Amino acid sequence: MSTKVAVPFLVAMMLLTGVCNTLLTKYQDLQCVRNCHSSDPKKQQHFEQPVIQTAQMFIGEMGCWLVVGGFTIYKRYFAKAAPMLHGGYQPVNGSSGNGALDSDEDGGLLDHTPSAQEAASPAAKPLVPNADGRRPLVGWRVILLALPACCDIAGTTLMNVGLLFVAASIYQMTRGALVLFVALFSVLFLRRKLYLYQWSSLFIVVLGVGIVGLAGAIAPNPQAKPEPKSVVETGLLLLRATGEHVKTTVQTPEAVQTIIGVLLIAGAQIFTATQFVLEEYILEQYALEPLKVVGWEGVFGLTVTLLGMLILHFAVGRTEKGRYGYFDAREGWREITHYRAIAISSILIMFSIGGFNFFGLSVTRTVSATARSTIDTCRTLFIWIVSLGLGWETFKWLQILGFALLVYGTFLFNDIVRPPLKACVVRRRKREELLPEEPIEHV
């Protein structure tokens, strides 16, 4: 498959699997598991097993080993020259043949020899080590990847809990706070430097996340009131709601749940950012295929998650107060095995997570930062559109304002749009990347 055909296909599959991850997880949360025939919706109990959903994610990540194994078999038995790996590139031996190849008469065109990562075809980039000249990450050093895996456990579980309380689109938009913590931790621990316009963009991102959360909090049941029709009306609603919200919060548990959900999702980005920084630090020292990084984190993550589930089940899940709760592993297993929709969605989530990691790693090492940010924006938009179409949520004008600020702040931070001040444009020429190893979110 040529690069012109492969890249659009990989982008499309990354979008499809990324959208399915969020929508399928929300679909699971909406499945009724107890008191389903009750006429009172408040008595109906739904699937609330965020720890099991975290285990599903790690099983999906472990599926990357199937791709690694299949590629190893292909390279050993079916591809003599491994064209998929090298993307058609064949190194020229400058020590033999025409010595002119070693000269500068071609205007420097041959000065740069592509690395294995650069020479690989888009689909094979996740299967090529992240650097040619670093020590391989093998043996006991692989245990280092257990550190980011533990951060992934905490972050994913908190996000799964938060998704129980908010709409899928608000969940996805709130995750935009990740750029804030990645930037802060990169400055603190990786000694990166941020400029004034980047700090301003982070403030815009925080403002956007806050407005998105407010949109869900002030209108937990949007059918009860007509939505504002203009930006002016949205602003008036924001001012009026801010004053009234303090008085009504105690009397509206739905709004409180939404606020808790947004805070959990935003707080989870601290662990995700820590995971990214740890991965960056490890991969700056060692060389390892990106897909193997995901696979090893899946192994360590699932091991720790299952051990934690076992301990929490006996410590909390078996108690009277813990029964039917997040840590009741026995009840969670019963719900998965007794309800077909939950079981099928669990399998689909595992496949979609494995696919998202493979396609995502292929895309992030092939396209530009502009394209990656655009893809992330499209992913959020598609989740929002599908959720509206399925009737899981209703349209909110205030949410558009928050989303627009999120997108603008992220694009400004990533140098996709020009800073409003000319002085910032001059400074950003020498800006260094925060995470050159380009990690991606696993869910």
Side-chain angles (χ1 to χ4, degrees), residues 281-346:
Y281 177 79
I282 294 171
L283 295 179
E284 281 181 347
Q285 313 297 323
Y286 301 97
L288 184 66
E289 294 87 333
L291 205 61
K292 286 186 178 180
V293 174
V294 177
W296 278 118
E297 288 186 8
V299 172
F300 294 127
L302 182 62
T303 302
V304 176
T305 300
L306 292 178
L307 181 61
M309 286 176 61
L310 185 64
I311 295 173
L312 290 171
H313 173 72
F314 285 103
V316 181
R318 293 182 62 184
T319 64
E320 188 65 27
K321 292 184 178 180
R323 190 180 182 189
Y324 302 130
Y326 298 160
F327 306 122
D328 190 346
R330 181 178 180 181
E331 173 63 18
W333 176 252
R334 185 195 69 83
E335 292 171 0
I336 290 177
T337 55
H338 280 70
Y339 294 92
R340 185 178 180 183
I342 297 177
I344 293 176
S345 61
S346 293

Side-chain angles (χ1 to χ4, degrees), residues 169-191:
S169 64
I170 293 179
Y171 162 85
Q172 194 66 34
M173 292 179 190
T174 306
R175 292 177 63 180
L178 175 64
V179 65
L180 168 66
F181 298 110
V182 169
L184 292 177
F185 292 169
S186 297
V187 170
L188 292 174
F189 302 112
L190 298 179
R191 305 302 180 186

